């Protein structure tokens, strides 16, 4: 699993390369406690976690969070 520092690097790398979509597929958890800003589309499709928490996410610019085909999710918590 990617650590938060690695995730931040991946998002920044993809933005620099012109990618605006980060697809998260087939994971059982995706912790992002330090994520404060997203400037890309983040699509969770399909996954197997029950809770998504981005406690410090304060802003999404020119993007979105999409949860598609996540039948187990029951709680989404964003700051």
């Amino acid at each position: 699993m990617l650590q938060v520092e690695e995730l931040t690097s991946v998002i920044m790398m993809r933005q620099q390369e012109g990618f605006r979509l980060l697809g998260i597929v087939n994971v059982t958890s995706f912790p992002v406690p330090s994520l404060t800003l997203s400037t890309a589309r983040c699509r969770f499709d399909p996954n197997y976690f029950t809770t998504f928490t981005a406690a410090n996410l304060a802003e999404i610019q020119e993007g979105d969070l999409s949860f598609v085909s996540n039948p187990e999710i029951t709680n989404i918590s964003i700051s």
Side-chain angles (χ1 to χ4, degrees):
M1 177 183 347
L2 289 176
Q3 298 299 317
V4 172
E5 294 81 15
E6 295 170 321
L7 172 64
T8 301
S9 297
V10 168
I11 291 172
M12 291 174 69
M13 177 189 67
R14 290 196 173 195
Q15 287 175 353
Q16 290 171 357
E17 294 174 359
F19 291 98
R20 304 293 295 179
L21 173 63
L22 177 62
I24 314 302
V25 179
N26 288 328
V27 298
T28 56
S29 68
F30 193 77
V32 288
S34 298
L35 182 65
T36 58
L37 168 68
S38 174
T39 58
R41 295 180 65 213
C42 296
R43 181 179 170 125
F44 297 87
D45 177 25
N47 292 290
Y48 304 97
F49 46 87
T50 58
T51 300
F52 175 81
T53 302
N56 293 304
L57 182 59
E59 188 173 0
I60 299 173
Q61 295 177 352
E62 300 180 28
D64 58 40
L65 292 176
S66 300
F67 296 89
V68 180
S69 297
N70 292 269
E72 303 298 321
I73 199 160
T74 57
N75 183 34
I76 298 173
S77 178
I78 300 172
S79 69

